Amino acid sequence: MTNSVFQAFDQDPEFEKCLKALVQTISTKRSHLTGIKAPDYLYTQGYASALSDIKKARGSGLFYPYLSSGIGNGAFVQLADGSIKYDFISGIGAHWTHGSDAMLEACIRGAIQDTVMQGNLQQNLDSLTLIKRLSELSGLDHAFLTTSGAMANENALKILFQYRQPATRLLAFEHCFSGRTLALAHVTDKSKYRVGLPDTLTVDYLPFYDANHPEESTQKAISLLESYISRYPDAYAGLMMELIQGEGGFYPGTKSFFMALIEVCKSHSIPIFIDEIQTFGRTDHLFAYQHFGLQDHVDIVTVGKLSQVCATLYNQALQPKPGLVSQTFTSSATAISAAIHVLDELTQNGYLGQDGLIMSRSNQMRDGLKSIAQRRPDIVEGPYGYGGMIAFTSYKGDPERTMAYIRRLYEAGVIVFINGNDPLRVRFLMPIGGVTETDIQKVLVVVEECLDP
Ligand SMILES: Cc1ncc(COP(=O)(O)O)c(C=O)c1O
């Protein structure tokens, strides 16, 4: 943080002593979470009624019977029934880890600030730190903080439509997921998510890169893009891209595929919008567009999940007019402090690069899954994805058998999730800030054991 009154307080020796003592106390408490454990019978009845209460209170049940106790250790989470599980989906990519001294310290430094939330009217100095870091690291001119991935995308769309006024259409990829607001439900390529909703946005879809047919899929996407543009000249606010499709099933594209589309768009002044809500901090670079070498061509980028605070990053040319984007909250002071910590960790502690921690954990997990696929070709295909985004197909992607399989994994102490559609895939988003080699070895054993004999 910039030199300030708060910094003088937050470095006060008395405060430092209390902080270290608190961190040490929590650290000792969580240090015993070192292996998978079944529920404790003392808590199971209360847990069952909490699950039924949450169903009543929310109006819908939970996907997993998951209610955390609030205590975790690295890749381990302890549920409120006393069970300990490996979290290999990390809140669908949001958790850096389950409890680390450094993260706890960052959160406490945020939590002791005078207000819980920061906003656009009144923000604290650490908002400035985060905004500056995001724009410096991205190479984009500006960063606007917000509360969810969907809001970051909404803001990006508003900026793009205002910039390209009177454009009315958007280009996006088939099978993309971009959020569930009234507008984004029309971008997300899943009709189930917009049942009963009025039309808000007209989206023309391009087929994504197909690794089995690189040339044909690239040509197909370019031809379709060109035909859309000639049918609706000047009608497009932007091309919105996920560079590794997340909810779609962890399908990565390639630089040449993206560049082919970008060149067509640029020749028609159509801005390039990269949705990095799921890819941020999951490749060998901080941003996936840097991994694909597209940094000179992007106009607007959104981040979320692992970034802890969501944001829309954009170039000066797209500067929105006053009043277009704002909201009461940008984020909590705690999350802003956590976001700065995650950026520091990712960029300064050996996570990035081909030899960095993200790729080494990824390679270990992928090698393990490859070996399982060789031993059990009847059930397992893959792995797929890139970096910290790994998936495999089980049971040829049969939805019923895949769901039954991930529930068996849950019962056995490994939490994963699904993605993709026909084939449905088993998805891993490891808590990259806490997962160890030993964790991965142990999870791979469970992954194999839970397959049908
Ligand atoms: C690529 C992508 N964009 C946008 C979103 C929406 O983010 P949120 O759920 O935080 O609104 C998601 C969420 O999974 C996502 O994966």
Side-chain angles (χ1 to χ4, degrees):
M1 188 190 292
T2 314
N3 199 10
S4 76
V5 175
F6 181 78
Q7 196 179 35
F9 163 61
D10 138 280
Q11 287 176 359
D12 175 87
E14 192 55 34
F15 168 71
E16 282 293 320
K17 212 169 102 194
C18 297
L19 173 69
K20 298 288 177 221
L22 183 55
V23 170
Q24 185 54 50
T25 305
I26 309 288
S27 191
T28 309
K29 290 269 177 235
R30 61 181 168 74
S31 62
H32 67 279
L33 308 184
T34 52
I36 292 173
K37 183 175 161 292
D40 188 324
Y41 78 96
L42 277 177
Y43 306 118
T44 45
Q45 212 173 344
Y47 195 72
S49 55
L51 287 171
S52 91
D53 287 351
I54 196 167
K55 185 172 177 183
K56 266 188 240 145
R58 252 172 53 118
S60 59
L62 304 176
F63 183 87
Y64 284 130
Y66 178 108
L67 288 171
S68 170
S69 66
I71 303 171
N73 189 23
F76 289 110
V77 56
Q78 180 155 47
L79 301 191
D81 63 0
S83 63
I84 301 173
K85 295 184 189 292
Y86 270 120
D87 180 6
F88 265 46
I89 193 60
S90 62
I92 324 187
H95 308 321
W96 173 245
T97 177
H98 282 272
S100 86
D101 293 354
M103 175 60 97
L104 180 57
E105 192 174 319
C107 289
I108 293 170
R109 290 186 193 279
I112 58 164
Q113 295 183 29
D114 60 331
T115 55
V116 176
M117 301 302 286
Q118 299 191 28
N120 283 304
L121 185 66
Q122 293 169 287
Q123 42 206 302
N124 299 1
L125 266 176
D126 54 352
S127 274
L128 168 65
T129 307
L130 180 58
I131 291 167
K132 273 172 67 180
R133 293 289 304 283
L134 283 171
S135 50
E136 276 160 20
L137 291 164
S138 66
L140 289 147
D141 297 326
H142 304 296
F144 193 89
L145 306 183
T146 190
T147 43
S148 70
M151 268 314 297
N153 281 348
E154 278 279 330
N155 286 339
L157 289 180
K158 283 163 64 176
I159 290 171
L160 284 172
F161 276 100
Q162 188 175 72
Y163 173 70
R164 289 278 293 160
Q165 213 176 352
T168 53
R169 309 177 85 89
L170 185 75
L171 291 154
F173 286 126
E174 289 172 1
H175 312 303
C176 70
F177 183 90
S178 44
R180 298 175 203 247
T181 62
L182 207 46
L184 290 164
H186 291 276
V187 184
T188 293
D189 189 19
K190 210 159 190 179
S191 57
K192 194 168 124 185
Y193 295 167
R194 63 179 97 93
V195 171
L197 303 185
D199 280 355
T200 50
L201 201 58
T202 308
V203 181
D204 293 314
Y205 292 97
L206 301 171
F208 196 71
Y209 177 75
D210 180 351
N212 296 319
H213 305 282
E215 308 268 296
E216 292 102 300
S217 59
T218 307
Q219 209 39 59
K220 210 169 134 194
I222 294 174
S223 307
L224 200 55
L225 176 61
E226 283 170 340
S227 79
Y228 282 141
I229 295 173
S230 70
R231 183 171 300 142
Y232 304 112
D234 297 322
Y236 290 104
L239 166 61
M240 180 171 184
M241 307 201 270
E242 263 179 282
L243 304 176
I244 301 171
Q245 294 205 303
E247 304 302 301
F250 287 168
Y251 293 91
T254 62
K255 178 173 184 175
S256 59
F257 173 74
F258 296 127
M259 275 313 299
L261 297 175
I262 288 172
E263 273 162 19
V264 176
C265 286
K266 291 279 167 179
S267 68
H268 292 88
S269 308
I270 298 172
I272 304 302
F273 168 13
I274 314 285
D275 176 343
E276 296 247 13
I277 308 290
Q278 196 153 161
T279 47
F280 172 84
R282 297 247 163 226
T283 69
D284 50 314
H285 283 68
L286 193 60
F287 297 89
Y289 65 81
Q290 296 166 338
H291 161 75
F292 287 104
L294 307 176
Q295 51 278 2
D296 296 335
H297 311 282
V298 304
D299 298 293
I300 189 158
V301 174
T302 49
V303 294
K305 293 187 187 268
L306 202 58
S307 60
Q308 308 300 299
V309 176
C310 303
T312 309
L313 320 173
Y314 59 95
N315 275 332
Q316 172 62 26
L318 269 58
Q319 184 64 46
K321 294 188 173 56
L324 189 77
V325 291
S326 190
Q327 42 182 141
T328 306
F329 296 152
T330 48
S331 187
S332 70
T334 309
I336 289 169
S337 194
I340 296 167
H341 172 65
V342 167
L343 284 179
D344 286 347
E345 283 288 303
L346 281 170
T347 55
Q348 293 161 22
N349 261 345
Y351 282 87
L352 303 178
Q354 279 303 331
D355 299 326
L357 259 165
I358 297 173
M359 292 311 289
S360 74
R361 299 281 181 263
S362 167
N363 292 337
Q364 188 195 350
M365 186 72 189
R366 290 172 67 90
D367 288 348
L369 290 172
K370 242 181 252 167
S371 307
I372 297 176
Q374 276 158 8
R375 287 192 290 276
R376 299 303 309 269
D378 52 326
I379 303 183
V380 174
E381 292 163 80
Y384 307 102
Y386 185 78
M389 308 169 82
I390 303 171
F392 71 89
T393 305
S394 63
Y395 304 98
K396 308 279 174 222
D398 177 80
E400 217 169 293
R401 298 190 76 189
T402 302
M403 292 300 248
Y405 172 63
I406 68 161
R407 288 190 192 283
R408 283 201 299 282
L409 280 177
Y410 184 87
E411 286 308 313
V414 174
I415 312 171
V416 302
F417 198 45
I418 38 153
N419 63 350
N421 188 26
D422 198 17
L424 194 66
R425 286 179 168 173
V426 177
R427 167 164 51 158
F428 301 92
L429 286 162
M430 296 184 270
I432 216 72
V435 70
T436 64
E437 270 182 41
T438 313
D439 296 332
I440 295 175
Q441 278 161 14
K442 295 202 166 158
V443 164
L444 285 164
V445 171
V446 181
V447 163
E448 189 160 9
E449 279 175 356
C450 285
L451 298 169
D452 284 315

